[in-house]
Structure formats: structure tokens, C-alpha cells
Amino acid sequence: MYFTANLNAQVQSDTLTKEKSIEEVVVIGYGTQKKSNVTGAIASLKASDIEDIPAGKPEQVLQGRAAGVSVITNSGQPGSSATIRVRGITSFGASNDPLWVVDGIVVDGIGWLNQSDIESMEILKDGASSAIYGVSAARGVILVTTKKGKKGKLNLSYNGFYGIGSASRKLDLLDATQYATIMNEAIVNGGGAPRYENPSMFGKGTDWQKVVFDNAERSSHEFSISGGSDKSTFYTSFGYYDQTGIVMSDISYYKRLTARINSTHKVLDFLTIGQTFAYTHTKSQGINANGEFGGPLSSAVNLDPITPVVENMNTALYPNDYSNPYVIRDPNGNPYGISHYVNQEMSNPMAFRQIQQGNFGWSDDFIANIYAELKFLKNFTFKPSINGKKAYWGSQSFTPKFYLSPTYSNTNFNNLNRVTQTKLEWSIENTLSYQNKWGAHSLNVLAGQGYYEYDISSGESVTYTNLPIDNWEDASFNFNVSNDNRTVSAWDGIQTHKTSYFGRLIYDYDNKYLFTGTIRRDGSSRFGANHHWGNFPSMSVGWNISNENFWPENKFVNTLKLRGGYGVLGNDQIGNFKFASYMVGNSNYTYGDNVIIPGVRPNTLENPDLHWEETAQLNFAADLKLFTNFNLTVDWYKKKTTGILRPVLIPGYVGVTDAPVANIGDMENRGVEVSLGYKKNWEDFGISVNSNFGYLKNEVTKLEDGREYINGPGFQSMGPVSRIQVGESYGSFYGFLNDGIFQNQAEIDAYKNANGALIIPGARPGDFKWIDTNGDGVIDDKDKVNLGNSVPKWTYGVTVNLNYKNFDLMVFAQGQAGNKLFQGLRRLDMLYANYQTAILDRWTGEGTSNTVPILSTNDSNGNFSKMSNYYLQKGDYLRIKLLQVGYSLPENVTKSIGANKIRLYVTGENVFTFTKYTGYDPEIAAGDDFGIDRAYYPQARTFLFGANIQF
């Protein structure tokens, strides 16, 4: 499907004609093609579509703007990237992240890229358009082209903004009086005596969310200079981005500095050389962005509101808690409050902040490309290129002596740690293309070869302990500590390589009958001896029916193109040497009279047949222009992945500890995508509306023989909460179903099996009534059923642009539906962790509740400890992601100061979110751990003021 966003190149006409508009060109991988002749499913965004979007990371501009492309922000933490899935989950054994290609260079992502440098972004979604990238393309391919200079006068531009963000939503947590009341009730129901004689004496207590949430600043400044002559052109840019987080902003921040230069030089009439070079420096610090085991956000949710932020020792309820000399204190010397009831990894966020000061991560990334274009024999072009990526990155942290609680302390010695790493990856590609047009025929043939080296890397870690200091400002490796207090380690990466041959033929007859065929052959060192090489073919066809002579001019369907394609792709993101068995040490043997001899052993079984995962995809689509001003695209696709890589279960007597990896799983995705755009301009007013909608059905179709399911991620003591099971969607939640709450003993006594025995003999009034789903008369793990899918079935986005004279308005909304979220913000293993106010609707007697069970410190029925539908909520949401009002100064004003354009704007980001979900944020994705909310760092509601200036 082709995304019809902001088609600025189309010639406007008030009368319906068959005149050709100025052709829009899209990038297709190792070349370009006219949009009207594209036969694959390609979504495209141009610079004009994204230049006004103040995204923190450039990949986030894709969110909601292409059907079938799911973009979920990993967290609201500054510097956080996005989880992107192109047409669903492709694998449950290898990576699902798309392949990023920037100016022909394969990169790990584009977080290092300056957004204003982007000329276009194309998403290759189907097998036919992606197969040119072969063994790396099954996850989808995103092509990014950066801006180049143009001949003419010098052009200068500035794009920048400044804004303030805050938490758009806070949880309704129990205050101190409510907390004491609830805990008294749970203790009494558990057979104990109430702990708090007068709960009301505590008042509201501490609002820990108020403690951790800050106002966050965000600013960006991007400059560019471009120009050139008939012989040479250049584009140079500089950018600086600075963002602090809404959760403890001094230990949650991200800074990025970028520089770029692109140039082309026409050395001879038949020879052009060019280069791209980019440098990015980042520095950041973050907190646990989605974890229930510690961190300020999880602590704010779970800490009791009775504990004060700063303790007054004259009125402290438990003064002995502060006797340790390493208790963290405020600037006035008063100890930060320590909870007497909620410990383990939970801690006072203000004290936690102090021990995190001075810690940071950093990176320096260099990416470069040098190429030449040699034209000969009129129709031939030879293009060799050399691509390289050099990265340096690391971290530094100082851990002082501290005492945050009886279960969270470091009182033996301080330590200073520094990690430095480096990696080089490079490639050489050569392409030869032939392009010719004669009569009604058009032919474009491409042949190419590539060689790629990966992960030439190394790293070192140094730790000094027992430094003669007590604060991070004085931490240094210049202290001469003893050898016993020094720990040094180093490592090297596992270098791999790939060799490729590829070709493509594009043919069209009279812009009516279209054909594209590609083939790529990849050889990778990552796979077994029997499968080093793989072939990845594709074919797609199209028919521009509206270009036929028999097509009548009409006011309903102006243009119509049908297209279809099929392609086979690979996924090689599986790790290194999974096919090999190698010897590892630390394996002692006994010999003779129990003599222990050091030995070695094989780590796993060899699998020379290990090969890439393979995804075959079929796509059918129609592109229409309706009523002159509407553009409609509809795609249907089906893609099946076979040979998914998974560890194989083997018996222990085989003698290896690592399960061997084999191609044992299959999975299928089917979906429909719709894009609808409308654009109309009048004298002073213009409107553009672009919407997209995607439906996805995912199904696991095969696991290894004898395997019913694979457990997914777990949650605390309840174990796995999801499964990968044949016949179900990837990541489906599995657990117990309840049929309400037992209101009295009579209902418990009436719930019997076929033999007349109680199905839940230990239940009491107020407990959940667990459903005996398999009918065997007992409640056990066999009664767990599919409770819902964590992967959204529906995704959508709408962008509305209005222009009136010098004013412009943009509204962008996006959302998803058809998925469930696991709301796991509370620590289940802490009896006295705080609750959300929804717990006030708990069962307190017959008829009081049928949804929230009785509270008790003795939860023998597993009301809260069992994985069940109680923890699942609908993940549907609609978010007004962007609301922007802009004003462009009149042309006579800008000309008077020598400017081409001056536009000022105000933007609201994450303005409104409509959802029934009770957590911080329904937009949840943490890698492939979809749908589990473990105190998710929420996205900020931000208001920005910015300017676009061009000279």
C-alpha cells in the first residue's frame, strides 16, 4: 500500500482531465521509481510531512502515519526509542525490529539522526518491495534518504523549539488514612489484630507521585546550510537536542549533538562522486522505565503514604530505622524517610536520587559513505560505494555507601565503574544499472554485489572500590587504590560477515502494464555448514486500468491501479554461532578414588542444518483517485514465517547445559490496510486530511513436536502470564477465569463437582469463584485459558491540516484497539504495598462487590496471586498526539529582512488520551514484552513554542 500523505507535487485542476501530473518519485532500494508505476507496498513520508513534528527521536514521526506499521514509544523516558513492527510480529525466535537503511548504509536505528536532515522515509512492507534486501528483510525495511544540496544561491535554515512537559495522568492512590483503614481490614481478615488505632490521625500523608514527578524541559536547535553550482553541491547541518524527564528530571535526561555534511561533485561529464558523513554525540541517564523491582516510579506506586519524605526524629514512629550511619540525609541533615512496611527494592525516591547522582551513559557515532557514479554507453551506470560505521560508547557510575532500607543498602565499600566499548562495521557494494525507454516500452535492470563485515568490536570495564571519598563529585580513577580494590575485564566481539548478489528488473508498457522482479542470494557466516547460502526471490505486477483507452472519463473514479506481488524474505537476527558446539571450562570430573580433575565439556549439540527464518508474503492492492480530491489505497496481505528459531528441549542425560537451537516454529500474519486522503485548495483556504487504518490477525501455527506451548514473560510470583501456543496469537495472556465473588457460604457449598465434592474447598465468602474450565472438578493449572491478546488488532491514525492565509493548523490523532494490557503496578509479594483507590470497592460483606475480592493478609484462594482476568484491562485508546497552530509572516515582511520564510508555532503534544485503562499510559511496548505494565514511565503532556526560519 502506498501512503498518500501531503501530496504536494500534484497539479491542482478544477476540471477532470487525464493530463499527467508532476510525477512523485519514491525510493525503492538501490534506486527510485515513479509512484504511479510502483507495484509493491511502499509507504512514504516526505520532508514536508515531518518537518513540523517535534519528535524526540526521528523514528517516532512514523507513528500513526502508515497503515500496517505499528509504532509504540517504549517509554516517556528521554532518549527512549520506539518499538516498530511492520505488518505484525514476524518471529518469536529472532528480532522483529525493521531493517534501517540510511543513504544506502545499514544501521541499527536512527536515533542518532537529526530529524531536519531527512528528505524522505520509505517503508517497504511487502515481500515484493523488500526482497532486494534478502536475508535481512523479513522484519520490514525502512529507507531513509537525507537531504542533498541544490545548485543556486546559499540556503540557510533554522528549526527549533522550547517547551515544558508534565505528567498527563497520575494514579488515584490511597492516602494515609485510607491506607491505614484498608491495612487494618486486611490484617483482621487474616486473623490478626488491627495495626493502627486511629487511621484518621495520619491525614492525607505523603503523595509519593508528587515527589517523583517534575516539570520537564525540552529544547531543540537545528541549523543547515546548503547550496552549490553546476559542478558541486553540498548540505551541512548541526543540531542540538536536550530533554529532561518528568520523573526525577536530574537523573532522567538525554542530550544529543549532531553534525552532517553531504556533497556531490561532477568530476567529468560521465563521472560524479559523492559522500555523506554524520557524527552524533549523546549523553544520558535514565531510571528503570518499566520494572516493578525498584526505581522511583515503582516506589512511588508501592510505598505507604504514612512514611514521610523527610523524617522528624522527634516524632518518628520507628526511630531505630535511622540508626545506620549510612542513612541518606537531606541538605539540612535530616534523614529521608524509610518505610517500616514496604522494603525490598522500594525506597524513598529522594534518597534514591542522591545515590544516582553523576551516573551517565554516552556514545560517539560516526557514519560515512563514499560513492561514485560512472555513466557509459548512454544507458549504463556503474555505482561503487564504501560504507562504514564506527561507534564508541560506554558508561560511568559511582555507588556510594548508603542505607535506604534493611533490604536495600551498600554499607561495605563504595565503587567507581567505567565501561568503554567500540565497534566497527563496514561494507562494499557495487551496482550496475541499465535504463532505457523506446516507444511505449520502459526497462530498468539492476545487478549488484555486496560484502559486509559486522561487529568488529571490543570493550573494557574498570572498577575501583574503597575510594577515600563519600560523594560522586570527587570520584576519580586517579586515586591510587590497592590491587585488591581494582577489577579489570575486557572482551572482544564475535565478527561475522555476509556476501550478497542481487538483481532487479522493472518493466512497464505504456504506463499500463507493470512488472518488477527481484532476486537476492545471501551467504552468511551466522548459519550452519549446510545452509550458508539462501535465495530470496520476488515478483510483483500492476495494471493502470485508468490509462487504458477504454477507460471512460468520469467524475467518480479518476484513476485506478491494481497490483499484486509475492516475495520470500529472510531473518538473520539470531545471534552468532548458534549452529556450533564448542568446549567450555569449569567442568570438573571425578577419576579413580574420587579425585577431582578440571575438565571441559561441549556446551550444546551441533546443528549444521541451522538456517535463516523464512517469510513468504502475498499482497494484493488497489490504488484509486476519487472525485479528483480523494486518494484511496487498500491492501490485503498474508505472510507466513517458517523455520522460526527456538531452543529444543532435550533430556538432561545428553550431557549439555545449553539447549541446541533449531528451525522449529511457524507463524502467520494476515491483514487489511486502508489509506484515505483528501486535499483541496481554494483562494485563501486549504485542507488536507490523511487517514490510515490497519487490521491484523496473528496466529502461531507450529511449534516443535510434542510441545503444546512456550511460556512467555512472567510477573513476580505468579509465573508466566502469557504463552506462545499453536492456534493462538503471539503473546496471548493465559490464566484463570473468575465467575464473580462468593457472596456467602451457601454459594461455596453449592459449587460442587460431579462427585459432590466442593470444587474450591478452602474458599470463604469474598473470594473469587474460579471457573472449572476443563470440567474435571478441581481448580489447577489445567483450567488456565486464553484471556486475550496483547497485540493490537486495529491501529489507526488521522492527520488534518488546515491553512487560512498565513495561519495553519495541524491535528494528529492515533490509537489502537482490540488488545489487552496486564496492569501490574503493585508488588504482589509486599503485603503492605499501597493500592489504587479502586480497592475501596472490595468485598466487605454480602452484596458489596462482585469484582474486587476480600482483602486479607492470608490470601489462600489466590485472589491476587493467581494470574487471572482480574489483572487484564482493555488497551484501546485514542490519543490527540499533536495539536499545532502556526503563523507565517507575510512575504513582504520576510523579504525585507532577506528571509524566505519565517514561521512561528505553538504545539501541544499528547494533549488528550481517551482510554479506560487505569495505568499511567495505555501505549505500552517494551521490546517484544507486549502488554505488561510494570510501572511504565508515562509520556509527558508537553507544550512547545518553535520557529522555522529560512534564508
Side-chain angles (χ1 to χ4, degrees):
M1 172 189 58
Y2 184 79
F3 182 58
T4 55
N6 297 331
L7 300 178
N8 296 322
Q10 184 175 356
V11 176
Q12 299 294 316
S13 176
D14 294 330
T15 61
L16 183 64
T17 70
K18 296 183 70 175
E19 296 177 354
K20 304 293 185 183
S21 63
I22 298 174
E23 285 288 0
E24 184 175 352
V25 174
V26 297
V27 179
I28 58 173
Y30 301 102
T32 60
Q33 190 177 12
K34 293 188 300 182
K35 174 205 160 186
S36 61
N37 288 346
V38 168
T39 54
I42 303 178
S44 180
L45 288 174
K46 303 303 181 186
S48 58
D49 302 323
I50 63 176
E51 61 186 2
D52 297 331
I53 301 172
K57 286 288 189 78
E59 68 267 24
Q60 293 171 347
V61 301
L62 294 171
Q63 186 175 48
R65 289 177 168 82
V69 180
S70 172
V71 181
I72 303 296
T73 302
N74 281 342
S75 82
Q77 185 156 269
S80 177
S81 57
T83 294
I84 299 177
R85 299 291 176 258
V86 179
R87 290 185 167 179
I89 303 294
T90 302
S91 171
F92 49 80
S95 172
N96 283 289
D97 295 330
L99 179 73
W100 291 93
V101 183
V102 179
D103 292 330
I105 308 170
V106 174
V107 294
D108 296 329
I110 59 171
W112 51 272
L113 189 60
N114 191 4
Q115 184 177 318
S116 293
D117 292 342
I118 298 174
E119 180 66 29
S120 69
M121 301 175 74
E122 272 81 14
I123 308 171
L124 313 184
K125 298 190 291 183
D126 68 332
S129 60
S130 303
I132 195 69
Y133 291 100
V135 76
S136 303
R139 303 159 280 146
V141 181
I142 303 179
L143 308 178
V144 180
T145 304
T146 60
K147 293 179 179 178
K148 306 296 189 294
K150 299 177 181 178
K151 70 175 183 179
K153 72 180 188 70
L154 201 66
N155 293 293
L156 292 84
S157 70
Y158 167 79
N159 189 358
F161 60 78
Y162 173 82
I164 298 290
S166 61
S168 60
R169 188 181 196 179
K170 294 182 180 179
L171 304 182
D172 292 325
L173 297 172
L174 299 180
D175 64 27
T177 297
Q178 293 169 328
Y179 172 84
T181 301
I182 285 293
M183 290 306 163
N184 274 349
E185 182 181 311
I187 293 170
V188 170
N189 288 337
R195 171 178 289 166
Y196 309 104
E197 293 183 4
N198 182 16
S200 62
M201 67 176 288
F202 298 112
K204 293 292 185 181
T206 301
D207 183 350
W208 290 109
Q209 292 183 101
K210 188 176 181 180
V211 172
V212 301
F213 281 116
D214 296 329
N215 287 330
E217 294 185 90
R218 184 165 148 206
S219 62
S220 176
H221 306 281
E222 299 173 346
F223 302 86
S224 69
I225 306 172
S226 64
S229 64
D230 291 334
K231 296 293 185 181
S232 297
T233 61
F234 73 94
Y235 174 90
T236 302
S237 71
F238 306 91
Y240 178 72
Y241 180 85
D242 188 356
Q243 181 182 6
T244 58
I246 59 172
V247 180
M248 314 220 92
S249 57
D250 55 344
I251 59 171
S252 177
Y253 63 85
Y254 175 77
K255 303 175 187 290
R256 182 182 67 220
L257 178 69
T258 62
R260 168 176 291 274
I261 181 167
N262 297 344
S263 68
T264 59
H265 309 278
K266 192 171 184 179
V267 180
L268 301 168
D269 289 342
F270 58 87
L271 177 62
T272 300
I273 62 173
Q275 58 79 223
T276 64
F277 173 81
Y279 165 71
T280 303
H281 171 76
T282 66
K283 183 179 180 181
S284 63
Q285 184 178 2
I287 64 170
N288 193 344
N290 184 28
E292 71 270 39
F293 298 110
L297 193 58
S298 182
S299 294
V301 174
N302 286 278
L303 282 174
D304 64 274
I306 293 176
T307 301
V309 178
V310 178
E311 186 63 88
N312 183 339
M313 295 306 296
N314 294 323
T315 59
L317 294 176
Y318 303 98
N320 289 336
D321 290 346
Y322 303 93
S323 61
N324 192 287
Y326 299 110
V327 167
I328 305 299
R329 299 176 180 273
D330 73 358
N332 297 319
N334 298 312
Y336 287 110
I338 298 174
S339 175
H340 191 75
Y341 316 111
V342 182
N343 295 141
Q344 296 188 43
E345 301 87 2
M346 301 302 147
S347 62
N348 188 318
M350 294 298 292
F352 177 83
R353 166 188 273 167
Q354 297 304 314
I355 67 171
Q356 297 296 312
Q357 295 291 328
N359 301 342
F360 63 91
W362 61 273
S363 68
D364 288 302
D365 294 279
F366 300 85
I367 297 179
N369 163 274
I370 302 173
Y371 65 90
E373 289 186 350
L374 177 65
K375 297 182 181 296
F376 61 98
L377 299 179
K378 186 178 180 181
N379 302 113
F380 289 89
T381 302
F382 175 61
K383 183 179 180 180
S385 65
I386 301 176
N387 312 308
K389 299 175 292 179
K390 182 69 173 179
Y392 302 89
W393 74 99
S395 63
Q396 182 161 309
S397 62
F398 175 72
T399 303
K401 294 180 182 180
F402 65 84
Y403 180 88
L404 300 184
S405 76
T407 55
Y408 190 9
S409 64
N410 176 50
T411 59
N412 293 326
F413 47 78
N414 60 30
N415 71 79
L416 176 64
N417 173 258
R418 178 180 293 165
V419 177
T420 57
Q421 300 184 74
T422 181
K423 180 168 70 172
L424 170 66
E425 296 185 343
W426 60 271
S427 64
I428 297 175
E429 291 185 323
N430 299 287
T431 61
L432 177 65
S433 61
Y434 170 83
Q435 189 169 359
N436 196 8
K437 189 170 184 179
W438 66 99
H441 304 274
S442 179
L443 180 65
N444 188 318
V445 180
L446 172 77
Q449 171 271 335
Y451 179 78
Y452 313 85
E453 285 284 352
Y454 303 108
D455 203 15
I456 307 171
S457 62
S458 63
E460 301 86 28
S461 176
V462 179
T463 301
Y464 279 18
T465 59
N466 275 324
L467 276 71
I469 58 173
D470 60 7
N471 63 82
W472 67 272
E473 291 99 332
D474 296 329
S476 171
F477 286 99
N478 289 327
F479 286 107
N480 187 22
V481 299
S482 66
N483 290 335
D484 292 342
N485 290 318
R486 301 185 185 193
T487 303
V488 180
S489 62
W491 57 91
D492 292 317
I494 300 176
Q495 186 174 344
T496 62
H497 57 268
K498 181 176 70 175
T499 299
S500 304
Y501 304 94
F502 50 90
R504 178 175 59 212
L505 185 149
I506 301 174
Y507 171 79
D508 80 76
Y509 177 77
D510 202 21
N511 289 318
K512 299 176 184 177
Y513 313 116
L514 316 170
F515 173 83
T516 301
T518 66
I519 181 70
R520 181 160 181 144
R521 179 170 172 81
D522 286 315
S524 173
S525 63
R526 281 187 164 178
F527 300 106
N530 298 338
H531 289 281
H532 277 317
W533 290 89
N535 299 318
F536 304 94
S538 78
M539 182 190 73
S540 59
V541 295
W543 182 19
N544 276 318
I545 302 176
S546 52
N547 286 345
E548 295 283 5
N549 294 329
F550 61 75
W551 183 265
E553 290 189 4
N554 63 86
K555 296 182 179 180
F556 177 55
V557 181
N558 311 134
T559 64
L560 171 62
K561 179 173 70 174
L562 302 178
R563 52 186 170 82
Y566 176 82
V568 178
L569 313 169
N571 189 346
D572 59 353
Q573 296 300 295
I574 63 166
N576 298 315
F577 300 134
K578 297 294 184 181
F579 62 88
S581 173
Y582 50 90
M583 307 306 289
V584 294
N586 297 322
S587 301
N588 297 333
Y589 292 78
T590 58
Y591 183 79
D593 296 330
N594 294 322
V595 177
I596 299 177
I597 299 175
V600 295
R601 58 170 175 80
N603 71 314
T604 190
L605 301 179
E606 185 180 12
N607 182 8
D609 292 319
L610 188 79
H611 60 84
W612 50 90
E613 300 179 354
E614 190 170 275
T615 299
Q617 187 171 174
L618 182 66
N619 193 90
F620 293 107
D623 301 320
L624 301 91
K625 183 177 180 182
L626 308 172
F627 304 109
T628 305
N629 302 111
F630 289 89
N631 291 280
L632 173 66
T633 294
V634 180
D635 278 69
W636 173 91
Y637 66 87
K638 177 181 179 181
K639 67 176 187 178
K640 184 171 184 178
T641 303
T642 57
I644 292 175
L645 290 154
R646 292 291 306 174
V648 180
L649 291 178
I650 58 174
Y653 59 74
V654 174
V656 297
T657 56
D658 299 340
V661 176
N663 301 89
I664 54 179
D666 296 347
M667 184 164 57
E668 187 175 281
N669 290 278
R670 298 187 300 275
V672 176
E673 302 166 352
V674 179
S675 289
L676 178 63
Y678 171 79
K679 187 171 183 179
K680 179 73 173 180
N681 287 316
W682 292 269
E683 183 176 350
D684 291 326
F685 180 73
I687 181 173
S688 172
V689 180
N690 295 284
S691 60
N692 65 82
F693 160 86
Y695 167 77
L696 171 69
K697 178 175 175 56
N698 173 274
E699 182 181 354
V700 178
T701 56
K702 181 186 176 184
L703 295 174
E704 64 262 44
D705 294 340
R707 189 78 173 265
E708 295 182 10
Y709 59 85
I710 298 170
N711 282 322
F715 182 78
Q716 299 179 30
S717 59
M718 69 172 52
V721 299
S722 65
R723 291 179 182 175
I724 300 172
Q725 183 160 329
V726 174
E728 304 290 353
S729 173
Y730 167 88
S732 294
F733 291 112
Y734 266 78
F736 296 94
L737 275 173
N738 73 73
D739 187 21
I741 292 173
F742 288 120
Q743 299 298 319
N744 49 56
Q745 187 63 43
E747 292 184 0
I748 298 172
D749 295 339
Y751 193 39
K752 298 179 179 180
N753 58 28
N755 298 323
L758 295 180
I759 293 179
I760 312 179
R764 61 181 173 175
D767 283 339
F768 276 135
K769 179 182 179 181
W770 302 116
I771 298 177
D772 179 20
T773 58
N774 66 350
D776 64 359
V778 295
I779 301 299
D780 55 24
D781 282 353
K782 296 177 182 177
D783 292 305
K784 290 182 177 181
V785 294
N786 189 334
L787 301 176
N789 181 16
S790 61
V791 178
K793 291 183 179 179
W794 318 92
T795 56
Y796 54 87
V798 180
T799 304
V800 178
N801 288 282
L802 303 175
N803 298 279
Y804 178 71
K805 294 186 177 179
N806 292 344
F807 291 92
D808 60 85
L809 170 69
M810 177 171 62
V811 181
F812 167 51
Q814 58 85 217
Q816 64 185 33
N819 65 305
K820 294 288 186 67
L821 297 178
F822 182 99
Q823 213 265 44
L825 277 72
R826 185 177 186 270
R827 282 289 293 271
L828 304 180
D829 56 342
M830 296 182 179
L831 292 177
Y832 306 112
N834 203 5
Y835 288 91
Q836 292 178 250
T837 55
I839 203 66
L840 297 175
D841 294 328
R842 81 280 184 205
W843 188 92
T844 57
E846 187 168 347
T848 55
S849 177
N850 202 38
T851 56
V852 183
I854 187 173
L855 289 180
S856 175
T857 54
N858 179 21
D859 184 18
S860 58
N861 192 54
N863 297 317
F864 296 98
S865 59
K866 287 181 177 179
M867 168 56 186
S868 72
N869 54 315
Y870 174 75
Y871 286 101
L872 298 182
Q873 300 178 19
K874 288 185 176 181
D876 305 3
Y877 75 88
L878 168 63
R879 171 166 284 165
I880 307 301
K881 189 72 175 180
L882 208 66
L883 179 61
Q884 186 177 99
V885 178
Y887 176 74
S888 298
L889 271 62
E891 187 175 348
N892 61 330
V893 176
T894 59
K895 293 295 185 183
S896 66
I897 60 174
N900 297 325
K901 173 185 176 181
I902 299 178
R903 176 178 176 269
L904 308 177
Y905 63 87
V906 177
T907 299
E909 192 176 55
N910 299 317
V911 184
F912 302 106
T913 301
F914 303 95
T915 183
K916 293 183 179 180
Y917 180 61
T918 61
Y920 283 114
D921 195 334
E923 185 180 330
I924 291 176
D928 283 349
D929 190 3
F930 272 48
I932 303 178
D933 188 352
R934 309 172 188 266
Y936 212 78
Y937 195 132
Q939 297 182 62
R941 177 186 289 128
T942 307
F943 294 94
L944 304 157
F945 173 78
N948 305 120
I949 303 173
Q950 296 179 7
F951 289 92

